[in-house]
Amino acid sequence: MIRREIRRYVFFLFAMSVIVAWTPLSSLAFAQDARGAVPAVTSDAIRPVAAKHGMVVAQERLAARIGADVLAQGGNAVDAAVATGFALAVTYPRAGNIGGGGFMLIHLADSSRDIAIDYRETAPGATGRDIFLGADGKPDPAKSRDSALGIGVPGTVAGLALALDRYGSGRFTLARLLQPAITLAREGITVADDSADTLSGSHDRLARWPSSMKIFARPDGAALREGDRLVQTDLAATLTAIAGQGPQGFYEGPVASKLVKGIGAAGGIMTLEDLKSYRPLIREPVRGRYRGYDIISMPLSSSGGTVLLESLNILEGFPMRDLHQGSPDSLHVLVEAMKRAYADRARHLGDPAFVNAPVTTLLAKDYAAKQRASIDMMNATPADAVLASPREGDNTTHFSVADAFGNVVSNTYTLNFSYGVGLVAEGTGVLLNNELDDFTAAPGAANAFGLVGFEANLPGPGKRPLSSMTPTIVLKDGKPVLATGSPGGSRIVSTVLQVIVNVLDYDMNIAAAVQAPRLHHQWLPDEVRAEEGFPDGVIAELRARGHTVVVPMGQTSANSIAITPDGLFGAPDPRTRGSSAAGY
């Protein structure tokens, strides 16, 4: 009976894939190399995926279709987001997770409310300020990036469960939303798309842990490759425990004991009390205005919303439309705005439970005017001249959801590095994060993405490391018009910034806005990272103005939805193979 139900469900997913999940790849061209898929615009007819009632856009197609199925059955955007989030833990293991954490931004149409859920990982209680320093007193990157000391207390299970409990439609239990993920984990999935592209490159990371090799390697020890079967029976059992007991099935009991045992055996310091005491937080989003639109984004402990809004405030004083999209002038002011906002990030931002960051001052329009006045249109500002203020991983993944009721979810979560620290705690199937590398090991030190930090982001017990994740919703007259976000570590904020500017300043449809080449500046190192796809003359002009331009930028994936009177339009980012929009 159970197997018959599974077969019916798998057949339904296949039918949905034919009916509702059409991605217009015929209108796109790709240049594929070792750094991933870099889009090349070859047609003016770049069109998003259309749907009338509901849509999920994610980096993996099975998970997107599972979310769309929930919408089709009358669920709201939060229901669909929870189903998608748990499904990605099975189908997109390098970033989808229950062993990491993230941020969810929700717009509720009936009450015109905006909610931010912070389910970022926390440092174990035994974490000290100097935990990531070597014997010489200097930062030791291996401790935070490659050892179990870098594992933060996972927040995803608690965060998704809280979202469903508080803001779900009431039509779906957690167990029901988990069932597709459990089925896929137990029965297995075919390795394809992004997983096929990344498992071989992460094989050495996973191979350090025998418990990981049991799952992500062939019997001969080689990496799984395209067409192989990925079966995750331990993960299915863990998800089943969560389905039966709620978050307690993860944070207490046998699963928690196995997590602590596995982390401890690998040299980590997480305890049962660390897991039991974890709590996600409901926060007030940060808000700003840009060109008559309301920008709603994530507050601290994510730096994303603050850096995004400060950048937009600076840009608002420039006639961006007149500067023309992709021109040297427009790119120059984008870079200069990013540079100033990222400098403030480094100096001031951290976990608000431990740091009193001057967010109100940083987001003031008069402060933006002072920053804007310091920009020379013909010359790059050196990084050491920027810090005149008033006092994030490649394996991250983002998905956007919109429903028929006007509700919207923008969710970004992560393991930090691709496949996290690479460790699966024996008997759990849970890939664990190395998220504590997002702390600053010492004042002035950089993390794996080159982001420099100071006192505000030093490690500490129970502290949440500063993030760059930037799930964002744009409103017009109180109604959502855009949901966006991206993975990409430190490149997340600049990606979201450029998608918003492309849509609001340049009237680009959402697919074209997502596909357009992007660049990035994060204050330090003092360089512009640029995707391939910009004309040689544009890059030459930026260099003539004093910018150090380095190609490539590194991968991002801005899976976005535009909400219009004519329906929903999804834009799966072509930079990730297998990204998909599913709607009905």
Side-chain angles (χ1 to χ4, degrees):
M1 180 71 176
I2 293 174
R3 288 189 176 274
R4 184 162 62 248
E5 289 300 313
I6 290 171
R7 286 195 295 270
R8 288 175 60 192
Y9 185 76
V10 172
F11 175 79
F12 180 73
L13 283 180
F14 173 76
M16 281 192 66
S17 73
V18 174
I19 295 169
V20 302
W22 171 70
T23 302
L25 296 180
S26 60
S27 67
L28 306 179
F30 298 86
Q32 180 74 40
D33 63 17
R35 296 181 296 272
V38 178
V41 179
T42 59
S43 172
D44 293 332
I46 302 170
R47 288 185 290 272
V49 181
K52 204 66 181 173
H53 303 294
M55 176 167 283
V56 179
V57 183
Q59 283 181 252
E60 196 284 320
R61 63 190 68 201
L62 280 175
R65 292 168 192 160
I66 286 168
D69 176 23
V70 171
L71 294 175
Q73 294 179 44
N76 70 6
V78 175
D79 300 331
V82 171
T84 301
F86 279 114
L88 284 166
V90 179
T91 65
Y92 196 73
R94 80 173 177 113
N97 72 83
I98 59 171
F103 302 92
M104 181 181 288
L105 191 66
I106 304 169
H107 173 79
L108 297 177
D110 59 353
S111 57
S112 297
R113 292 177 60 200
D114 303 300
I115 300 106
I117 299 179
D118 179 341
Y119 59 96
R120 178 70 157 161
E121 304 89 338
T122 57
T127 303
R129 172 188 176 107
D130 299 331
I131 189 171
F132 300 129
L133 302 183
D136 58 0
K138 297 179 180 179
D140 181 356
K143 285 188 172 184
S144 60
R145 301 172 194 176
D146 302 321
S147 85
L149 290 175
I151 301 172
V153 181
T156 295
V157 172
L160 295 182
L162 174 65
L164 180 66
D165 181 59
R166 295 285 188 91
Y167 310 112
S169 68
R171 293 171 175 262
F172 293 82
T173 63
L174 181 61
R176 185 176 172 188
L177 294 177
L178 275 162
Q179 192 55 53
I182 293 169
T183 299
L184 291 172
R186 182 182 296 124
E187 298 295 312
I189 59 174
T190 301
V191 174
D193 296 326
D194 185 80
S195 292
D197 294 338
T198 59
L199 273 168
S200 60
S202 296
H203 185 63
D204 290 345
R205 188 163 199 79
L206 295 163
R208 298 177 302 150
W209 318 103
S211 54
S212 303
M213 289 290 282
K214 291 178 185 178
I215 301 168
F216 295 104
R218 290 177 159 191
D220 65 0
L224 292 178
R225 62 192 67 167
E226 190 142 14
D228 286 346
R229 198 77 178 162
L230 173 59
V231 178
Q232 302 174 79
T233 53
D234 287 340
L235 180 58
T238 295
L239 292 170
T240 299
I242 298 166
Q245 303 168 48
Q248 284 186 318
F250 182 85
Y251 292 98
E252 301 180 46
V255 172
S257 296
K258 291 175 184 177
L259 287 169
V260 168
K261 182 179 179 181
I263 293 168
I269 57 175
M270 194 179 301
T271 67
L272 287 171
E273 182 58 32
D274 290 326
L275 282 166
K276 184 178 180 180
S277 61
Y278 180 85
R279 297 292 184 274
L281 300 173
I282 297 175
R283 301 189 188 275
E284 184 67 25
V286 289
R287 303 169 184 272
R289 291 276 291 175
Y290 185 72
R291 314 287 191 204
Y293 292 83
D294 294 307
I295 314 296
I296 314 299
S297 196
M298 281 306 304
L300 296 172
S301 62
S302 175
S303 67
T306 302
V307 175
L308 172 68
L309 293 177
E310 182 177 341
S311 300
L312 286 170
N313 284 343
I314 294 170
L315 292 175
E316 193 169 33
F318 290 100
M320 297 300 292
R321 189 184 299 270
D322 294 339
L323 297 182
H324 303 294
Q325 199 277 338
S327 70
D329 283 345
S330 70
L331 298 176
H332 175 76
V333 296
L334 276 168
V335 166
E336 292 295 309
M338 293 174 196
K339 193 182 300 184
R340 286 155 175 78
Y342 274 92
D344 284 337
R345 177 199 193 277
R347 179 62 73 186
H348 295 297
L349 303 186
D351 185 340
F354 296 82
V355 175
N356 186 20
V359 174
T360 301
T361 300
L362 295 177
L363 298 186
K365 295 290 187 180
D366 59 349
Y367 178 60
K370 294 176 183 176
Q371 293 280 50
R372 190 183 311 118
S374 69
I375 295 175
D376 181 338
M377 285 300 296
M378 297 311 298
N379 293 285
T381 306
D384 59 9
V386 166
L387 198 57
S389 53
R391 324 181 297 173
E392 217 103 319
D394 285 347
N395 79 312
T396 307
T397 187
H398 177 84
F399 57 88
S400 299
V401 185
D403 66 24
F405 314 110
N407 305 306
V408 174
V409 170
S410 181
N411 188 92
T412 312
Y413 65 168
T414 187
L415 292 171
N416 197 32
F417 281 17
S418 192
Y419 300 93
V421 76
L423 171 66
V424 173
E426 183 69 52
T428 68
V430 177
L431 263 170
L432 292 158
N433 67 84
N434 59 346
E435 201 58 64
L436 301 190
D437 183 62
D438 276 356
F439 281 123
T440 298
N447 69 4
F449 295 95
L451 282 170
V452 171
F454 294 93
E455 293 282 342
N457 193 38
L458 289 173
K463 197 172 181 181
R464 297 172 190 240
L466 192 61
S467 172
S468 295
M469 288 181 273
T470 317
T472 299
I473 298 171
V474 179
L475 308 176
K476 181 68 172 177
D477 299 326
K479 295 182 179 181
V481 297
L482 174 65
T484 189
S486 179
S490 60
R491 302 177 295 274
I492 292 173
V493 188
S494 57
T495 293
V496 174
L497 173 67
Q498 287 164 91
V499 170
I500 291 174
V501 168
N502 285 345
V503 172
L504 301 189
D505 282 310
Y506 301 123
D507 294 328
M508 297 172 73
N509 76 54
I510 189 61
V514 165
Q515 189 180 349
R518 300 194 274 259
L519 45 66
H520 168 75
H521 199 298
Q522 61 186 50
W523 179 54
L524 290 176
D526 192 0
E527 62 186 23
V528 178
R529 301 300 298 238
E531 288 184 325
E532 296 173 349
F534 288 102
D536 292 342
V538 168
I539 297 298
E541 176 60 26
L542 289 175
R543 287 174 172 150
R545 298 186 190 193
H547 295 289
T548 299
V549 182
V550 179
V551 178
M553 186 180 92
Q555 188 172 5
T556 53
S557 188
N559 299 299
S560 306
I561 299 174
I563 302 100
T564 79
D566 298 320
L568 305 171
F569 295 91
D573 198 319
R575 293 163 177 80
T576 299
R577 189 160 73 101
S579 61
S580 181
Y584 79 105

